[in-house]
Amino acid sequence: MHADWGDIRIFLAIARAGSLGAAARSCGLTQPTMGRRLKALEDATGHILFQRTAHGFVLTDEGSAMLPPAERMEEEFLSLERALMGSDRQLQGGLRVTSSDWFGVHVLTPVFSRFAEVHRDVTIELVTDSRLYSLSRRETDLAFRITRFEEVDVIQRRLMRIGYAAYRKRGASGEPRLITMDAALSHMPDAIWLRERLPDVPVAFRSNDRQAQARACGEGIGIAVLPSALGDSEPEIERLDLGGAPPSRDVWMGYHRDLRRLPRLRALVDFTVELLAGEAAEVLN
């Protein structure tokens, strides 16, 4: 059997995504290309690695046997890649950053725009998504989250505290209704706070997208609790006093330890901390 790292990468992406389409998006390839690469790998191994079902691609026994050594091969390759990248002394090249949608748009983009004016040879790719991208698998170089990182070998710091407030459309009147998180995120502190403040008010709109909530609020659908950085930027809505402020949240920033000496990453981290956290930010290893 002969299979290079590219073949193994395709195999792992399909095993994790469960479909050719989702795996293709994660690898930056087309679905037909993924299909051809998978067939070539199966021909090379002499085994069918996935069972094609109505619910997606499921590992066969042979595929399941191949998964652990493929993951070990991935870790070795990525460890080498991180080591080589971390030894790059040039302040140029690309950096992939991930965050939630509203935080990327309203908080990070202004910071990164100023960074780009100073460091013109560094390209930042900002991916806004609710999915937690892996730092160890090099899905992202720098990540921002509202929870601490649980991955090993990640350097993380509490970057800043995000305030929240209740909002409604300017000049709104009539019986109130609520705009809140979807059922999967109903445990979020701000969603719980809103229900406790207005327990008898019906819910009119749910979304896991903060910007969708802000837009719905601006359309006059109802009352929403939003991050202040987002809510205060929307001219159609205004703050509403419900007797106290909603719970605030910490924002954590993390990157893999192997990249700690990469000049362009250090420059971006230091620049972001200077603008958003100040000198009092504490590094938590």
Side-chain angles (χ1 to χ4, degrees), residues 137-153:
R137 293 203 300 266
R138 286 294 315 283
E139 292 179 341
T140 184
D141 300 312
L142 181 64
F144 296 82
R145 300 176 184 173
I146 59 172
T147 58
R148 290 196 62 154
F149 292 78
E150 298 181 355
E151 298 173 81
V152 297
D153 294 328

Side-chain angles (χ1 to χ4, degrees), residues 40-177:
L41 178 59
E42 291 181 327
D43 290 344
T45 62
H47 296 288
I48 300 299
L49 303 176
F50 293 95
Q51 179 182 357
R52 284 71 165 170
T53 74
H55 302 290
F57 279 52
V58 178
L59 286 167
T60 61
D61 290 344
E62 293 79 8
S64 295
M66 182 172 166
L67 185 60
E71 290 177 330
R72 290 194 295 271
M73 180 178 177
E74 176 190 46
E75 180 52 39
E76 290 297 323
F77 180 88
L78 293 177
S79 178
L80 173 62
E81 187 179 54
R82 290 193 302 266
L84 293 174
M85 186 176 180
S87 66
D88 184 359
R89 312 311 301 169
Q90 301 298 315
L91 195 58
Q92 61 184 16
L95 289 170
R96 195 171 203 236
V97 183
T98 57
S99 77
S100 63
D101 50 5
W102 75 266
F103 190 80
V105 172
H106 294 275
V107 179
L108 293 181
T109 295
V111 173
F112 293 167
S113 297
R114 293 177 63 178
F115 179 85
E117 294 176 358
V118 179
H119 301 287
R120 305 185 69 85
D121 293 329
V122 178
T123 301
I124 298 175
E125 177 188 359
L126 176 60
V127 179
T128 57
D129 198 334
S130 59
R131 182 168 78 86
L132 300 182
Y133 286 78
S134 171
L135 291 161
S136 61
R137 293 203 300 266
R138 286 294 315 283
E139 292 179 341
T140 184
D141 300 312
L142 181 64
F144 296 82
R145 300 176 184 173
I146 59 172
T147 58
R148 290 196 62 154
F149 292 78
E150 298 181 355
E151 298 173 81
V152 297
D153 294 328
V154 170
I155 295 176
Q156 60 182 306
R157 71 191 307 155
R158 186 187 291 110
L159 177 66
M160 62 189 299
R161 191 84 172 167
I162 292 291
Y164 288 71
Y167 293 87
R168 67 178 176 185
K169 183 175 182 178
R170 291 188 183 278
S173 60
E175 291 295 323
R177 293 185 296 170

Side-chain angles (χ1 to χ4, degrees), residues 5-26:
W5 163 239
D7 297 329
I8 300 301
R9 178 170 172 257
I10 295 298
F11 167 76
L12 288 171
I14 298 172
R16 289 164 178 157
S19 71
L20 284 183
R25 288 190 294 273
S26 71

Side-chain angles (χ1 to χ4, degrees), residues 164 181 188-195 210 213 225 246-247 249:
Y164 288 71
M181 305 301 294
M188 297 283 280
D190 59 280
I192 295 173
W193 181 89
L194 184 61
R195 291 302 305 169
R210 295 288 190 182
Q213 293 179 17
V225 172
R249 300 294 299 271

